[in-house]
Amino acid sequence: MFKLDPEKELSEEALEALCMSGSDAIMVGGSTGITYENTVDLMSRVRRFELPCVQEVSDLEAVVPGFDLYLTPMVLNTEDVTWILERHRQGIERYGYMIPWELVVPEGYIVLNPEAAVAKLTGAKASLTEDAIAAYAQIADKLMSLPIVYLEYSGIFGEMDTVRRVRRGLEQARLFYGGGITGPSQAIEAASAADTVIVGNIIYDDLEQALSTVAAVKGTAE
Ligand code: 1GP
């Protein structure tokens, strides 16, 4: 899945290449600078293509009707309850009567790069032992019954042994991996360790490398 940041510029040619790449879906989201306007704009551009387009909700002001799903992060490794429950409460109070619950999918987020914008924003305690990461994942999977555990290494390539260990401990949740994938070999590694691979920044730094991850993950790379 490609994660597109509404705050960043993307040419029509690049967007078309991403949407026609064979990727399973486009996720729209980011940690900073997300507005209703830039999200609507990006969604409507992606909508010209057939693949599913989901929003990862990060700002209550920027929730836009018309996405296929609303992935809703709950940051597990922060002590700031804002990012576990409070924004969610505010959102339900504000939009409760019109929330399409059948389209809302919570994600148990474990933020693992202390330098990432998401770690700073949420106050995540991102320097964790492997045991702690595995335990958080089990909280998501077994105590909270969240359908997705998201290992968010945003900006750095994570420890694949840790990713594999987390997946072994999951019973029902699907494991998302995101962070530092800059080309096919990392994409293959991450795809063999997790269920779903998210490719972000490289889209804006080197589009061809980003596109090459799709074939790699789907096992069709030469
Ligand atoms: C970010 O997990 C995604 O939310 C992808 O990370 O930008 O490092 O690819 P990168």
Side-chain angles (χ1 to χ4, degrees):
M1 194 176 336
F2 287 119
K3 189 184 282 195
L4 301 185
D5 184 340
E7 200 192 12
K8 294 186 181 162
E9 281 198 27
L10 195 61
S11 70
E12 277 312 303
E13 295 72 30
L15 186 74
E16 178 169 353
L18 291 161
C19 291
M20 301 297 284
S21 65
S23 180
D24 292 311
I26 299 289
M27 184 192 290
V28 173
S31 298
T32 55
I34 310 300
T35 67
Y36 191 89
E37 288 70 25
N38 62 23
T39 303
V40 167
D41 181 57
L42 184 54
M43 181 189 75
S44 52
R45 291 174 65 204
V46 175
R47 274 285 178 236
R48 293 188 288 111
F49 302 93
E50 280 187 8
L51 78 178
C53 184
V54 305
Q55 182 172 24
E56 188 169 61
V57 179
S58 58
D59 190 318
L60 288 181
E61 307 301 330
V63 184
V64 171
F67 281 96
D68 292 308
L69 291 177
Y70 295 89
L71 302 184
T72 306
M74 306 175 83
V75 179
L76 303 179
N77 58 325
T78 177
E79 291 173 0
D80 182 351
V81 75
T82 306
W83 306 103
I84 307 169
L85 290 176
E86 281 306 301
R87 285 291 163 88
H88 313 68
R89 175 188 62 74
Q90 289 163 8
I92 292 168
E93 282 193 19
R94 191 186 303 181
Y95 301 116
Y97 64 97
M98 51 182 183
I99 294 175
W101 284 110
E102 68 282 5
L103 303 183
V104 176
V105 182
E107 300 172 308
Y109 243 65
I110 308 172
V111 177
L112 295 168
N113 175 9
E115 301 306 318
V118 61
K120 292 179 175 152
L121 177 71
T122 63
K125 303 248 178 274
S127 299
L128 297 173
T129 63
E130 191 176 295
D131 286 347
I133 297 167
Y136 274 123
Q138 295 208 345
I139 290 173
D141 181 58
K142 299 193 169 68
L143 295 183
M144 300 170 81
S145 298
L146 298 178
I148 295 169
V149 171
Y150 192 140
L151 295 181
E152 172 60 294
Y153 283 92
S154 180
I156 55 169
F157 192 64
E159 189 50 65
M160 290 300 120
D161 286 342
T162 305
V163 179
R164 274 187 283 275
R165 173 163 167 202
V166 165
R167 184 158 66 166
R168 281 197 301 273
L170 300 180
E171 269 176 40
Q172 55 79 31
R174 191 173 176 88
L175 183 60
F176 281 23
Y177 170 85
I181 294 176
T182 56
S185 59
Q186 287 166 326
I188 289 169
E189 265 196 87
S192 70
D195 299 310
T196 298
V197 169
I198 320 295
V199 173
N201 273 316
I202 193 67
I203 294 165
Y204 301 95
D205 296 339
D206 187 336
L207 181 67
E208 290 308 317
Q209 285 295 102
L211 293 169
S212 71
T213 63
V214 178
V217 166
K218 291 187 174 287
T220 55
E222 290 178 354

